[in-house]
Amino acid sequence: MAAAERGVWTGTQLRRLLAERTGLELSAASVSALFTKQPSQVKLSTLAALCTALGCAPGDLLVLGPAALVPASEPVLAVLSDGRLALGPSRVAGRRSLPPL
């Protein structure tokens, strides 16, 4: 929607704009994916280039809703060798653990 609001209607237009304004050369397939489906991930450098090319902020491109939120998992309690309890990160199936607290 941010692209359309700025008169960019095709992937070709967006590719040209990215190359001219930021020097970023994305493949036609990558740009097409941005237009036709919700990407599962976007590099921060690509997000920054999109914002620069379109003259917008990241919030103009990202829409958070219930489907975008990942449910939090319960932290794990562990017993250390000295008998103290420690709160550790839990693992979500197929994902990395959370950063240390």
Side-chain angles (χ1 to χ4, degrees):
M1 289 304 294
E5 289 170 355
R6 288 153 179 84
V8 179
W9 294 98
T10 67
T12 303
Q13 289 175 314
L14 182 58
R15 285 184 73 205
R16 188 177 307 116
L17 199 60
L18 283 166
E20 289 172 359
R21 294 189 181 173
T22 69
L24 179 64
E25 298 282 342
L26 286 180
S27 69
S30 295
V31 174
S32 177
L34 290 173
F35 267 98
T36 60
K37 63 181 181 177
Q38 181 176 348
S40 60
Q41 61 185 355
V42 176
K43 290 181 182 180
L44 287 177
S45 58
T46 303
L47 179 61
L50 286 167
C51 290
T52 299
L54 295 171
C56 64
D60 297 329
L61 301 176
L62 304 173
V63 178
L64 294 180
L69 301 176
V70 177
S73 59
E74 295 296 320
V76 175
L77 283 177
V79 179
L80 301 176
S81 59
D82 63 1
R84 292 181 297 144
L85 288 178
L87 184 63
S90 62
R91 285 191 167 269
V92 177
R95 296 183 184 212
R96 294 182 178 169
S97 61
L98 298 173
L101 300 175

